[in-house]
Amino acid sequence: MPNILDATDLNFLLYDLLDIEATLTATGHDRAIADAILTTAERLAEDMFQPFAAKADAQEPSFDGTHVHLIPETEAALTAYAQAGFPAAGFAEADGGMGLPYLLCQAAAGWFTAANVGFAAYPFLALAAGNLLAEYGTEAQKAAYLTPIIEGRYFGTMCLSEPQAGSSLADIRTRAEPQDDGSYRLFGNKMWISGGAHEMGENIIHLVLAKVPGGPAGTKGISLFIVPKFLEDGTLNDVHLAGLNHKMGYRGTTNCALNFGEQGGAVGYLIGEENRGLSVMFHMMNEARIGVGQGASVLGVSGYLHAVEYARERTQGRAVDNRDPASPMVPIIEHADVRRQLMQARSYAEGSLALCLYAASLVDRLRAGEDGVELLLAILTPVVKSWPSEFALRANDIAIQIHGGYGYTRDYPVERLYRDNRLNPIHEGTKGVQGMDLLGRKVVQDGGAPLRALAQEIMVTLGTADAFPQERDQLGALLQRVGAVTAGMAAQAASDPKAYLANATIYLDMLGHVVMAWMWLRQAIAAQGHSDPGFAQGKTATMRYFFRYELPATGPQLDLLESMDRTCLDADTDWF
Amino acid sequence: MKVLVPVKRVIDYNVKVRVKADGSGVDLANVKMSMNPFDEIAVEEAIRLREKGAAEEIVVVSIGVKQSQETLRTALAMGADRAILINAADDVHTDIEPLAVAKLLAAVVAEEQPGLVIAGKQAIDNDMNATGQMLSALLGWSQATFASELAIEGDNAVVTREVDGGLQTIKVKMPAIVTVDLRLNEPRYASLPNIMKAKKKPLEEKTPADYGVDVSPRLSVVKTSEPPERAAGVMVSSVEELVGKLKNEAGVI
């Protein structure tokens, strides 16, 4: 069963592609420590997370009106995870954490997510809340709420959406009324709150976006509050579970409609300043988006690994040139079209993981104060969030296809992995929102500096790609065209903003493919010295596959973008 | 009391073992390796003895390739106090035979003077189940094999052994060798803070020559082959047919 991740590939990505050793050394750690941590993560994932993933999916959480019920395995997994010290891994030593590189934490997290995403969400939501508190909380807030998160005792949520305001946060209605003692009372309804109600741990720290009456309209009037489930004196705060949502996947995670202030107001404490809530939240959202891409990637990788195993074991048919019906059937991996599908799934899933870990390494470089990294992260974040959500998901789809009818049943894990992964193009900013962010904000930011920074990085790789001249030239020419098309579009952005943004998602897909081709070229180059020649050959072949079968899709996309095609923009709403 | 725990780096229990094409052994190149699961249980038991106050120091020792360091670090991260690596092979495919291992361990025991040696009952790679017994013979110490419970009472170790048909409890005088079975305990995970601490714990590197032991193999491997594939089953239509087949074809009843 395991097929959670491929440790050989993960080590290749960390050490050969991304040189994590340099980051480890710079932060006072070494490879032995990193290897031991990853081994513990792998074992915990295998022993404590994966075994109940299917059960947690089949027996989703229930609410009896008073209590939320989760299957008992959840508590044991949580205890093991906390005792192993994972909640503290990424936090600064000054806050009581271990100060491990973000890249290493993301790699370890990959094991847990791929093994059981519906459970892993609980500790990871706590980390996200903790990260925000570490960055913006006062010392008193950190002592009260961050320390127990680092110790694995408290959980957390992010309460942004409301029933009437999802992507459109400007329209939230939850209000926060200031009190004489400096605290606030919150009133309103929040929707889609993952981990919003359960009985694990000692407390849940809700981080809630709300508007203080009298503030500016729209997003400029949004503030951010800490609203604990239990107040410091141990009494329940005025936060109520209105109901659980019943989802397609991620079913181990409670997803909640929460009501704040049914009985006089939920006690909340302001983080940072009034009306600055959204920028605080979005600072953290960038890392959350890398996390979404990473989650999508590892679910795709797991599906791909299951498909490879199945294709090696399942026998059907014979070679096309074998006419002897008495000869034994061959494993389906012997069929060219199955290998094509595996190649496609691998190029999407492994490529996505390479991209997301690269982005994580950029976060480490940013923290180390390296120049120019911020621009790279700016342009890449929407791609990192969206491309894996779309294409690693397709790897899960292919994994079902390779399993045939069996893949469509719940006796095999591939359909669950697909359902779990289907969330990723939706949450933390839908794909459409990411396209708008990329083309409407990042591409035009600082006179195009982020895109130039990315092009420069790609050019560096092309300069080391002499072993692959054909692919080097293909990507070099494509990069030139992307620059020209983008410049042409940007020139019309001000005069015709609707047309400029009409095909933003197409631009996102196109740039995603360019970035992925770059990632594959980098992997093929880095794999050349690998101790296992078969590994290097596999990476090279997958790189060639991507350049030949997938990258040409950018041609027609660039045609649409270049002409600023108006087919969809001009479509009358009455025609649908 | 000092406790000595030998640990072996073996092919991971989750890896599908493949026989090398030339039949000289199993393929260990680029294969995931980890601590022999029975040795993990031995390390865990030693840590529990120390936590109960029955032991003061835990020394782990590994004999093999240099990468066995990682296995020792795992033991240190679980809670052992210090480690000894005996570099006895350059190639991961070189197996050090039980007698050579037992001789090296006897030499380590002579130096370290532990009150107890806790070892895995066997390594999951070759399943020899010999080292603990040979070490006992070389030292002239008592042995208690296949332990599923262990208690220290004064100068004695009280050991419940898993034997055919049930459990046997024996009392052996220490110093003694105890080899452990699967049900003795659930080994802990190496936690992140302990992984960090393990880095600072001492790891001494030695060679067989330091102990005057010749580790060259006495056995020659004639052939290694995969177990025969299981033949396909047949569906029987009645209990009578099943009984008939068991009696006449399988000859088991």
Side-chain angles (χ1 to χ4, degrees), chain A residues 87-149:
Chain A
F91 290 100
E93 288 174 66
D95 288 327
M98 299 175 71
L100 291 167
Y102 184 66
L103 174 56
L104 180 63
C105 295
Q106 285 291 92
W111 286 106
F112 301 123
T113 304
N116 187 344
V117 71
F119 171 70
Y122 293 108
F124 294 167
L125 284 161
L127 294 191
N131 284 335
L132 196 148
L133 291 167
E135 186 87 15
Y136 296 101
T138 62
E139 286 310 312
Q141 287 172 341
K142 279 161 70 166
Y145 306 111
L146 174 59
T147 303
I149 284 176

Side-chain angles (χ1 to χ4, degrees), chain A residues 539-554:
Chain A
K539 284 285 184 195
T540 305
T542 315
M543 181 274 287
R544 293 231 154 90
Y545 165 86
F546 194 83
F547 273 78
R548 290 173 191 182
Y549 286 67
E550 303 288 335
L551 195 55
T554 54

Side-chain angles (χ1 to χ4, degrees), chain A residues 302-321:
Chain A
S302 182
Y304 161 71
L305 294 174
H306 281 295
V308 172
E309 184 181 39
Y310 187 81
R312 285 191 203 288
E313 286 175 358
R314 170 72 172 170
T315 58
Q316 281 296 280
R318 290 159 188 86
V320 290
D321 53 0

Side-chain angles (χ1 to χ4, degrees), chain B residues 192-208:
Chain B
L192 271 51
N194 288 339
I195 287 169
M196 302 287 207
K197 280 183 211 145
K199 198 184 150 188
K200 297 192 182 81
K201 290 181 179 176
L203 192 156
E204 199 182 348
E205 289 199 47
K206 299 279 207 178
T207 64

Side-chain angles (χ1 to χ4, degrees), chain B residues 102 130-145 176-177:
Chain B
T131 304
Q133 293 88 330
M134 287 178 174
L135 178 61
S136 152
L138 289 173
L139 294 171
W141 286 10
S142 310
Q143 60 170 304
T145 51
I177 319 283

